[in-house]
Amino acid sequence: MSLLIRNGRVVDPAGGVDAVQDVWITEGRIHRVGRGLKAPAGTETIDATGKVVCPGFIDMHVHLREPGFEYKETIASGTRAAAAGGFTAVACMANTFPVNDNRAVTDYILARAKVEGVVRVYPIGAVTRNLEGRQLAELAEQAEAGCVAFSDDGQCVMNAELYRRAMEYALPFGTPIISHAEDCDLARGRAMHEGFVSTELGLSGQPSAAEEVMVARDIVLAELTGAHLHVAHISTAGAVRLVREAKARGVRVTTEVTPHHLVLTDEAVRGYDPNTKMAPPLRTKRDVEACLEALADGTIDCVATDHAPHALSEKEDEFTEAANGVVGLETAVPLLLDRLVRPGVIDLPTLVTRLSTAPARLLNLPGGSLASGAAADVTILDLERPWTIDPGTFRSRSRNTPFAGFTGTGAPWMTLVAGVAVTP
Amino acid sequence: MGWKRKDLLGMQDLETAEITDVLDTAVSMKEIASREIKKVPTLRGKTVVNLFYEASTRTRTSFEIAGKWLSADVINFSASGSSAEKGESLLDTAKNIEAMSPDVVVVRHKAAGAPALLARHLRCGVVNAGDGLHEHPTQALLDLMTIREKKGHLEGLNVAIVGDITHSRVARSDIHGMRKMGITVTVAGPPTLIPSQCQELGVKVSHRLEEAIAHADVIMMLRLQHERMQGGFIPSIREYSRVWGLTLARLSHCRPDVLIMHPGPVNRGVELSPEVADSKYSVILEQVSNGVAVRMAVLYLLAGSKGA
């Protein structure tokens, strides 16, 4: 098995490469990257002239919903959505049913992924049993079973003592603790960001402080324990400032931002479309600007989608009653290319770093680079391809996106996992 | 101008001329209420459905009387004892009701935006009779009608809205409606009950009752919900009443021609002392009477003025 991707613009930030080159893959691994490579006769070739060849994109924050919520998404449909969106790997959160808080569920997810998944699947284990915030889950066994991080995502662990112990206990595994930073009391029952728009719409809002007090607490706990804290879906200017300051002090903190928090503001909630409801909520223009700046300067390490599929019946409802979350796997890369790279907010190598190199590094995953010997997970982009987002074409089982009808230019063109093109 | 809207969802959407149109129509409707036989055939053969997901006596009754005086068939549908209790979604219920061909659906719901959701999906007219903390446009219209009736005009007046602004859809609708009609609005209450960035709605914000009402032509007192103590918004009803309750003593520093209004139901002894509620300043019952006239006008404009 040998494959030559010819004549594409290779963008591999880990190797410092941004040049037109060939990528030669053998046995599912990168064999060589260079100009004018001569592969043996019979080698399959892909002409990538005019395309961009990158290390495979990794979405470190998705909800695949299996087991338990297969009507929203399955490992089969979710990984197809990932492949269609240019992702070669996803890390899936633990809020399934049953919760992924023990080895049996982790094993099940990995077994299903092996049979039905078309991209790599890395489970994230729960920090506490049944996500209840009372007792630690069996982190050692879960780490052994293949969990790459721990998180009660969707819930905030309000008990600081317990969270401290989780951080300490996980130290030997080298797995980050991923914080869903949202103070339950400040956020409870509040469907959107608190500000002028919430006042006009008559919706109870949660202040930015709901996120920031928890980011601050978790940074302090990471400092106490020496743990690697990863802040999920950062969304406020204040939280960005806290992370920037903590990094400067040498605290082991990393963070991610979602495409919707980079592209939309709370103004999008006018009209009460439940597809604009998620946690954390859409924030203000000032917050979006702070996140963009932090993404450019590296304060924000990754972009992750928080892909959160929900059935139509859970979304076509009163705004206050509707489920939180939006799908993201099939819209992220097009939006980022058009709204961020095209206008020059960030350059292409930076985007590849945020989508591939950084998540691979911080979760200790193979991939994230096109170095010889690396897993041949490759995302190829077509920067000139025009698109219109049509939820009807999604591979995901769910359609809950705030981006229906958005148009732009630049999209994934081909996704290869272990050297094999994935047909989503 | 002719009325063009399919729905009445909020005061924020209305043009000044449309508000005047409703108020003028309501004045002629009020004349019907003074007749011995309170019935005109205007909406004969039309069906109005009151779809109430939240308890309401005054507003539902007011819409019901308004519809009946105009000869519409009025059907009351309340959430208790209906499919809503069996877990049917709002949209499914509404589509079922639409299958029975109503001309107007009047909806009250605890969720902000619920009437907008219905309006998007239903062909018939939708009237918002109160949605969560968002809007209650017919209340604002009846407030404007009452003020205009008593003061002779709206432009240039000062109105103080006092109490729990955060949790009040009446306050939001009043603010939008009053500002469009040239009224200067001051909102007042403890900071915990003033919503975020409220001044951007174009109002003055005060945290002192005396200051807010000193020059007011109209004082609109809002009902304090007893459950606000649980959320930590106020320490006690007793303290709230002492600091924010309107008494005759406090009124003595106000304009002699000040009007006291309240969207009801009044907590006597909490936001209003009984003496104030029953005083010559109070126009609370006129508000209720005008409510019927305003709702007649709204039903007429949505259901009767087209295709007639």
Side-chain angles (χ1 to χ4, degrees), chain A residues 190 194-204 270-274 316-321, chain B residues 12 90-91 109-114 116-117 120-121 131 133-134 172 176 195-197 200-201:
Chain A
R190 302 187 171 116
E194 178 182 294
F196 178 60
V197 180
S198 69
T199 290
E200 276 211 332
L201 292 180
L203 290 169
S204 290
R270 293 185 189 280
Y272 301 96
D273 178 359
E316 199 177 60
D317 213 340
E318 299 91 307
F319 191 89
T320 45
E321 305 302 314
Chain B
Q12 191 174 12
L90 171 63
L91 211 50
H109 200 286
K110 70 176 194 308
L117 177 74
R120 272 200 301 277
H121 287 90
D131 63 329
L133 314 180
H134 178 221
R172 283 175 179 75
H176 289 306
S196 176
Q197 294 171 284
E200 288 181 36
L201 291 171

Side-chain angles (χ1 to χ4, degrees), chain A residues 283-308:
Chain A
R283 304 289 188 184
T284 66
K285 188 159 175 280
R286 196 176 70 88
D287 297 303
V288 170
E289 284 165 359
C291 287
L292 288 169
E293 186 194 353
L295 187 70
D297 73 18
T299 301
I300 295 178
D301 303 82
C302 317
V303 178
T305 66
D306 194 4
H307 178 81

Side-chain angles (χ1 to χ4, degrees), chain A residues 13 16 33 43 46 53 65 178 198 294 335 352:
Chain A
V33 176
T43 298
I46 293 170
V53 181
R65 304 298 190 206
I178 302 177
S198 69
L335 284 166
V352 175

Side-chain angles (χ1 to χ4, degrees), chain B residues 30 143-154 157 217-218 257 259 261 280-284 286-287 290:
Chain B
K30 192 170 182 179
D143 290 340
L144 288 171
M145 180 182 183
T146 307
I147 296 169
R148 194 175 77 164
E149 194 177 83
K150 295 290 172 187
K151 296 288 184 188
H153 65 105
L154 295 171
L157 294 177
D217 297 292
V218 178
D257 60 348
L259 299 180
M261 300 175 75
K280 61 177 178 171
Y281 307 106
S282 166
V283 293
I284 295 170
E286 281 94 327
Q287 288 175 271
N290 287 338

Side-chain angles (χ1 to χ4, degrees), chain A residues 234-235 240 256-265 282-285 287-296 300 302-304 332 335-336 339-340 345-346 351 354 403:
Chain A
I234 201 167
S235 72
V240 164
E256 71 193 27
V257 64
T258 72
H260 46 271
H261 287 110
L262 293 171
V263 172
L264 299 175
T265 68
L282 295 172
R283 304 289 188 184
T284 66
K285 188 159 175 280
D287 297 303
V288 170
E289 284 165 359
C291 287
L292 288 169
E293 186 194 353
L295 187 70
I300 295 178
C302 317
V303 178
L335 284 166
L336 295 167
R339 299 298 200 271
L340 270 58
V345 179
I346 59 172
L351 182 68
R354 305 287 178 260
F403 297 115

